[in-house]
Amino acid sequence: MPVLRNTVDRCVESLCSQGCSRVSGFIAALRAGQEFPEVAGLGREERLLVLEELVSVMAAYAGRCER
């Protein structure tokens, strides 16, 4: 599981570095089952974990996204 966790963590960090408005789009895409370049190499379980992490990160913003 540590390898899976590292892969997920790296992906989440990469996605988050693009700003919260982009992260909101990534969350919507993941929820819709869409594939995009940043998650293309991930399996279903990894994508679900990325989605969970992104939702958790964005909860801190409570709908107030500044970038």
Side-chain angles (χ1 to χ4, degrees), residues 14-64:
S14 173
L15 295 173
C16 287
S17 73
Q18 297 184 44
C20 68
S21 61
R22 289 285 309 245
V23 171
S24 295
F26 294 138
I27 289 171
L30 287 166
R31 284 183 171 153
Q34 297 173 351
E35 186 172 303
F36 48 95
E38 292 86 349
V39 298
L42 302 180
R44 184 179 185 281
E45 181 180 355
E46 292 165 318
R47 289 180 193 194
L48 290 173
L49 290 170
V50 168
L51 174 59
E52 288 175 13
E53 288 290 324
L54 292 177
V55 168
S56 176
V57 166
M58 291 304 288
Y61 290 96
R64 297 180 310 261

